[in-house]
Amino acid sequence: MRKSVIGIGAMAAVFGLSVAPSAVASPGSAGQGGVGTLASVVIPAKRIPVDNRFIPPRIGGDTEFNGHGPDVFASATLEGVGTNRLRVRIFMDAIETRSDFTHVRGTSPDFLIYVAPAGQCVQSVSRGGYEEIRYRDTDHAVDAFGGQVTDSFVSGWSFVGDTDGSEAGTRTGAALTTFSFVANVQPC
C-alpha cells in the first residue's frame, strides 16, 4: 500500500485551518523537498494592535474635532520580506475640516507577526504588502471598513475619529485585521 505525505501547511489550506508558525515543518523535512527548498508557513489572521488602536500624536489645533470630520488617511505596510521577521506598520493622519484644524499624525511602532526559525528567511508572501484608506468621519461611532487595496494583506479596518469629547492624541486611532496568508520560507 502506498502512503502519501502531505505537509502541515497543505493540510491547513485544504481544511481551512490556521497553523501556528512554530508548528509548521521546517525546510528539508518530510513532504517539504530537500535542503534549500521553500517551506510554506500559514500566518494566521491577526488584529493589530491586539488590544487597542494605534493612536497617533496630536500635532495641531486643540484636542476636539467637534463634529468637523476629521478627514482620515491611513496606510499599512507589511515589512520584512527577505528577513526572518514579518512586521506590520500603520500610518494615520486625521485633520479637522474647519478652523482650528485639529490634527493627529504619526507612524506606529512595528507590530511583529511572525519570526522564522533560526537560519531561515521569508522569501515571499501570498498577499500584497500595502494597504490604504481615505474617508471622512461623520459621527461619533467606531468606523469599520473592509480592506481597500485588491489582494492586500489587510482584511479590515477599525477607526475612532471624532467622539463626544476630547479625542485628538488620546482616543483617535486605527486598528486593522489581517487575512490569513502564506509566507514562503527558506534558508538565508
Side-chain angles (χ1 to χ4, degrees):
M1 185 163 128
R2 186 169 182 225
K3 292 185 179 180
S4 295
V5 177
I6 185 167
I8 293 171
M11 288 188 329
V14 169
F15 294 109
L17 303 172
S18 289
V19 177
S22 61
V24 176
S26 62
S29 62
Q32 297 294 324
V35 173
T37 61
L38 290 176
S40 296
V41 177
V42 176
I43 310 296
K46 298 181 184 303
R47 184 183 188 324
I48 299 168
V50 172
D51 56 357
N52 200 355
R53 287 181 175 70
F54 162 62
I55 298 175
R58 181 174 58 88
I59 61 168
D62 60 19
T63 60
E64 173 59 56
F65 289 113
N66 203 29
H68 307 132
D71 283 339
V72 175
F73 171 78
S75 64
T77 53
L78 183 63
E79 305 282 337
V81 172
T83 74
N84 70 334
R85 296 172 186 267
L86 287 178
R87 305 166 314 277
V88 173
R89 188 177 302 146
I90 299 171
F91 170 81
M92 182 177 179
D93 183 270
I95 188 165
E96 188 175 16
T97 59
R98 295 187 191 167
S99 185
D100 72 342
F101 300 102
T102 297
H103 193 185
V104 299
R105 179 186 182 100
T107 302
S108 73
D110 289 348
F111 298 100
L112 185 65
I113 63 169
Y114 174 72
V115 178
Q120 306 290 310
C121 288
V122 176
Q123 298 303 312
S124 63
V125 293
S126 63
R127 302 212 54 109
Y130 180 77
E131 168 73 13
E132 69 178 39
I133 184 170
R134 292 176 191 275
Y135 82 100
R136 177 171 286 176
D137 190 15
T138 59
D139 57 25
H140 293 161
V142 172
D143 302 305
F145 302 95
Q148 304 292 299
V149 176
T150 302
D151 200 37
S152 89
F153 70 101
V154 175
S155 67
W157 290 96
S158 173
F159 293 96
V160 169
D162 193 14
T163 68
D164 61 358
S166 296
E167 62 278 319
T170 58
R171 295 165 65 189
T172 299
L176 61 84
T177 303
T178 68
F179 283 105
S180 176
F181 62 93
V182 174
N184 294 307
V185 180
Q186 72 177 23
C188 55

